[in-house]
Amino acid sequence: MKTLLIILFSMLLTACSTNGKGENATSNNQESTNAEIEGKKFPKAACILWIDKNKEKTLLNKEVRNVKARVHIGELGKITVLEYEKTPHIMLEDKISRCLKTYRVTPEQMEKGNLKEGENIVFLRVVVRELRPR
């Protein structure tokens, strides 16, 4: 009988001590993750820029990727990437940099009011590869 009481008492103490620590640990973890999310959160994107020129004009059996980025648009429409929201794969980042060498924002896009000269938040859309038929 005494051993049963001792076991129950020890289990009760263990449950109480882990419950209190668990709440503090989860609240500390929530605060740190909330701070990380707020620190890395980008505002809403102004527009989507198709930086990869698709010669066939069809997206059938092709993989398209969107990358949200903070970019600087120069006087002549040249785009320079300042920062990515989530760092893309190195091959995708290389494809984006190659496409941006020739891509220019048109004056029509600037007149619509979505884009302005200077810093903007945009989606860069790229056709990555053709999908194989199954």
Side-chain angles (χ1 to χ4, degrees):
M1 183 73 173
K2 286 184 180 180
T3 55
L4 182 60
L5 286 172
I6 292 172
I7 292 172
L8 288 173
F9 184 72
S10 64
M11 289 174 64
L12 181 65
L13 285 176
T14 308
C16 291
S17 65
T18 57
N19 190 15
K21 288 179 184 175
E23 289 176 5
N24 285 339
T26 56
S27 65
N28 287 340
N29 284 340
Q30 277 184 332
E31 290 173 5
S32 65
T33 54
N34 287 342
E36 288 176 10
I37 290 171
E38 289 174 5
K40 292 186 178 182
K41 187 175 180 181
F42 273 40
K44 191 175 178 182
C47 69
I48 299 171
L49 299 176
W50 284 86
I51 59 173
D52 186 17
K53 299 295 183 185
N54 189 3
K55 303 220 185 328
E56 294 101 32
K57 303 290 184 197
T58 180
L59 294 176
L60 187 63
N61 295 328
K62 296 192 179 180
E63 182 180 353
V64 178
R65 292 289 174 106
N66 294 318
V67 179
K68 193 173 188 181
R70 177 175 284 131
V71 298
H72 176 76
I73 299 177
E75 291 178 19
L76 301 175
K78 181 170 173 56
I79 296 177
T80 307
V81 176
L82 302 175
E83 177 183 11
Y84 293 106
E85 182 179 36
K86 295 178 186 173
T87 307
H89 190 273
I90 189 139
M91 292 177 72
L92 181 60
E93 192 173 351
D94 183 48
K95 169 101 179 189
I96 290 171
S97 66
R98 282 187 282 126
C99 290
L100 288 179
K101 286 180 182 177
T102 58
Y103 182 81
R104 299 292 181 260
V105 176
T106 62
E108 292 83 26
Q109 290 173 323
M110 299 286 261
E111 289 173 1
K112 287 181 183 176
N114 294 339
L115 294 174
K116 60 184 185 301
E117 198 173 301
E119 193 171 310
N120 294 286
I121 307 293
V122 296
F123 276 110
L124 301 174
R125 187 170 282 178
V126 181
V127 178
V128 180
R129 64 186 170 97
E130 283 194 33
L131 299 174
R132 295 182 186 150
R134 295 181 186 202

